[in-house]
Amino acid sequence: CPVCSSSDRVRLLYLFLRNRTNLFTEPVKLLHLAPEKPLMDLFIKQNNIDYLTADLNPENVMVQMDITNIQYPNHTFDAIICNHVLEHIPDDRKAISELYRVLKPGGWAIFQVPISKILDKTIEDFSIITPEERENVFGQNDHVRIYGKDYSQRLKEAWLTVEEYNWINDSLFQNDWKRFGLNRDETVFYCTKQ
């Protein structure tokens, strides 16, 4: 967007959060990993959101955090946003488990990643270590895997409930997808902790 610099995936996430969660209507303690500036600017202004930004790189976030070893106690957060982070994490299963641990019962989390619609199984090879090799194999020089159609199952190993939300089937978006420039193939992975 030339006005707010948001990408299509950020706009989709905002629309999902606004229309399908309690983020803007109830008190929520939110952990936002590798926060996108347009969302961060919006969330920080919300009086109902107790907002914490975190990243391994401490620049422009509130706390430095390794999501495979989170320094917060069990059941700390009502909600977690992890948008296009896990494809950078060598031990993504440990990260998913840690995020589950710090989420309160009844809480929710969104775990967006790039997914190849033609791969049945996620591809990862930890012998690939140079940026050039990673770009050739995974499509980006700082990715450590390409997720396939099994991504939801990876989440279900740690989470009891995973809802795959395809906005293209939602009447709220039928008239607006061109206006918002949404990617027809982007699915929101919405997880809840019972």
Side-chain angles (χ1 to χ4, degrees), residues 32 34-35 40 53-65:
H32 190 181
M40 185 170 60
T53 61
D55 197 332
L56 192 56
N57 180 351
E59 293 180 29
N60 303 317
V61 292
M62 297 169 183
V63 297
Q64 184 175 17
M65 181 183 292

Side-chain angles (χ1 to χ4, degrees), residues 1 3-4 6-7 11 21 27 41-42 47 77 89 96 101 103 105 117 127 136 138 153 168 171 175 177 183 190 192:
C1 174
V3 176
C4 69
S6 66
S7 65
R11 291 189 298 275
T21 73
D41 292 345
L42 176 67
N47 291 330
F77 301 99
I89 309 297
I96 293 166
R101 180 185 65 77
L103 189 67
K117 301 289 186 177
S127 69
N136 286 335
F138 305 126
Q153 187 56 43
I168 202 74
S171 61
N175 297 323
W177 72 271
N183 178 346
Y190 178 74
T192 53

Side-chain angles (χ1 to χ4, degrees), residues 127-147:
S127 69
I128 298 170
I129 56 172
T130 69
E132 296 81 15
E133 291 174 315
R134 286 180 173 172
E135 184 153 0
N136 286 335
V137 176
F138 305 126
Q140 193 167 312
N141 66 12
D142 58 349
H143 287 190
V144 297
R145 72 184 52 80
I146 299 175
Y147 287 102

Side-chain angles (χ1 to χ4, degrees), residues 9-179:
R9 69 185 189 215
V10 168
R11 291 189 298 275
L12 174 60
L13 184 57
Y14 165 74
L15 291 168
F16 180 85
L17 293 167
R18 185 187 73 191
N19 293 309
R20 299 288 182 226
T21 73
N22 63 347
L23 186 62
F24 297 104
T25 58
E26 297 176 18
V28 174
K29 185 172 180 110
L30 172 65
L31 173 61
H32 190 181
L33 302 163
E36 304 85 351
K37 185 166 177 15
L39 292 176
M40 185 170 60
D41 292 345
L42 176 67
F43 297 156
I44 209 156
K45 294 175 187 173
Q46 294 295 126
N47 291 330
N48 67 303
I49 300 175
D50 182 0
Y51 187 50
L52 181 69
T53 61
D55 197 332
L56 192 56
N57 180 351
E59 293 180 29
N60 303 317
V61 292
M62 297 169 183
V63 297
Q64 184 175 17
M65 181 183 292
D66 173 355
I67 64 170
T68 63
N69 187 21
I70 298 175
Q71 66 264 37
Y72 290 90
N74 294 352
H75 316 302
T76 300
F77 301 99
D78 299 300
I80 297 171
I81 297 173
C82 185
N83 194 16
H84 289 252
V85 173
L86 294 174
E87 66 273 15
H88 302 271
I89 309 297
D91 192 351
D92 64 335
R93 286 182 167 96
K94 174 72 170 145
I96 293 166
S97 176
E98 274 291 278
L99 293 166
Y100 180 85
R101 180 185 65 77
V102 298
L103 189 67
K104 293 178 183 177
W108 56 264
I110 294 176
F111 294 111
Q112 296 300 98
V113 296
I115 294 177
S116 171
K117 301 289 186 177
I118 62 170
L119 293 176
D120 288 326
K121 291 188 64 101
T122 296
I123 296 173
E124 51 192 352
D125 180 347
F126 296 110
S127 69
I128 298 170
I129 56 172
T130 69
E132 296 81 15
E133 291 174 315
R134 286 180 173 172
E135 184 153 0
N136 286 335
V137 176
F138 305 126
Q140 193 167 312
N141 66 12
D142 58 349
H143 287 190
V144 297
R145 72 184 52 80
I146 299 175
Y147 287 102
K149 296 175 188 173
D150 64 336
Y151 176 62
S152 183
Q153 187 56 43
R154 286 171 90 104
L155 291 174
K156 288 175 183 174
E157 290 172 10
W159 294 78
L160 296 176
T161 306
V162 178
E163 178 185 342
E164 294 182 45
Y165 175 82
N166 187 335
W167 66 269
I168 202 74
N169 299 322
D170 190 327
S171 61
L172 285 173
F173 295 106
Q174 291 306 303
N175 297 323
D176 291 330
W177 72 271
K178 283 186 180 178
R179 181 174 140 220

